């Protein structure tokens, strides 16, 4: 068991600390033929699962009125960067209930900042 953790540590890279309910922007490398480009996917994190290098997270966004969900492996070499756009305040580990909501009802409340954070 210890040998597995040693191998996994070699594949881990620095990732920002984000939680379920946060709005994030994932920049992913897309390969089309012999060309490679970076595409951003911005949405709300509705779930995380797994542990170590096998950890994945699911991001949901609304594109042209249609809900789109994408599952990303956290330590994938195709992920160029992850940026936290805003922090959300939720009381659930999985936000699957957002699938049935529309408009304002599908919004996640933004986390209230403390006085020390506002002064920065």
């Amino acid at each position: 068991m210890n040998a597995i953790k040693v191998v996994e540590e070699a594949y881990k890279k620095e990732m920002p600390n984000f939680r379920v309910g946060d709005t994030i922007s994932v920049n992913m490398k897309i390969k089309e033929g012999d060309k490679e480009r970076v595409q951003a996917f911005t949405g709300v994190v509705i779930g995380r699962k797994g542990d170590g290098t096998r950890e994945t997270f699911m991001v949901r966004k609304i594109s042209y009125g249609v809900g789109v969900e994408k599952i990303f492996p956290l330590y994938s070499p195709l992920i160029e960067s992850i940026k936290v756009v805003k922090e959300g305040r939720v009381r659930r580990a999985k936000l699957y209930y957002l699938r049935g909501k529309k408009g304002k009802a599908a919004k996640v409340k933004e986390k209230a900042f403390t006085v020390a954070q506002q002064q920065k």
Side-chain angles (χ1 to χ4, degrees), residues 9 13 18-19 23 26 31 33 50 56 67 71 85 90 99 103 113 116 120:
E9 288 299 320
K13 57 184 177 180
F18 64 92
R19 301 170 61 177
T23 302
V26 181
K31 201 169 197 178
T56 61
I71 299 172
V85 177
V90 294
R99 293 173 177 164
F113 291 103
K120 286 185 179 180

Side-chain angles (χ1 to χ4, degrees), residues 1 7-8 12 14 20 27 29-30 39 47 53 64 73 77 79 87 103 120:
M1 193 67 171
V7 172
E8 284 183 346
K12 284 191 175 183
E14 190 69 31
V20 173
N27 291 326
K29 294 178 193 169
I30 306 291
Q39 183 177 18
T53 57
Y64 297 103
I79 292 180
E87 295 180 355
K120 286 185 179 180

Side-chain angles (χ1 to χ4, degrees), residues 17-23 84-91 108-114 117-118:
N17 188 15
F18 64 92
R19 301 170 61 177
V20 173
D22 292 351
T23 302
V84 178
V85 177
K86 65 181 179 180
E87 295 180 355
R89 194 192 87 179
V90 294
R91 296 173 67 176
V108 175
K109 290 182 182 177
E110 197 167 345
K111 188 179 272 188
F113 291 103
T114 62
Q117 291 174 333
Q118 289 177 351

Side-chain angles (χ1 to χ4, degrees), residues 29-38 78 80:
K29 294 178 193 169
I30 306 291
K31 201 169 197 178
E32 294 173 336
D34 58 341
K35 295 180 182 177
E36 191 173 294
R37 63 186 176 89
V38 176
L78 297 177
E80 193 168 273

Side-chain angles (χ1 to χ4, degrees), residues 4-119:
I4 293 172
K5 290 191 180 212
V6 170
V7 172
E8 284 183 346
E9 288 299 320
Y11 289 98
K12 284 191 175 183
K13 57 184 177 180
E14 190 69 31
M15 286 291 167
N17 188 15
F18 64 92
R19 301 170 61 177
V20 173
D22 292 351
T23 302
I24 64 171
S25 179
V26 181
N27 291 326
M28 185 119 186
K29 294 178 193 169
I30 306 291
K31 201 169 197 178
E32 294 173 336
D34 58 341
K35 295 180 182 177
E36 191 173 294
R37 63 186 176 89
V38 176
Q39 183 177 18
F41 191 90
T42 304
V44 178
V45 179
I46 64 169
R48 286 181 80 156
K49 74 166 60 166
D51 188 29
T53 57
R54 297 174 301 278
E55 187 172 355
T56 61
F57 61 98
M58 189 181 311
V59 181
R60 178 181 174 83
K61 76 173 185 174
I62 305 296
S63 180
Y64 297 103
V66 178
V68 179
E69 293 180 3
K70 203 165 185 182
I71 299 172
F72 296 98
L74 185 61
Y75 295 104
S76 171
L78 297 177
I79 292 180
E80 193 168 273
S81 66
I82 298 174
K83 180 182 170 196
V84 178
V85 177
K86 65 181 179 180
E87 295 180 355
R89 194 192 87 179
V90 294
R91 296 173 67 176
R92 300 277 179 267
K94 304 284 192 277
L95 303 182
Y96 299 146
Y97 66 89
L98 291 177
R99 293 173 177 164
K101 305 282 185 183
K102 291 183 180 178
K104 255 188 170 177
K107 286 198 173 239
V108 175
K109 290 182 182 177
E110 197 167 345
K111 188 179 272 188
F113 291 103
T114 62
V115 175
Q117 291 174 333
Q118 289 177 351
Q119 291 177 352

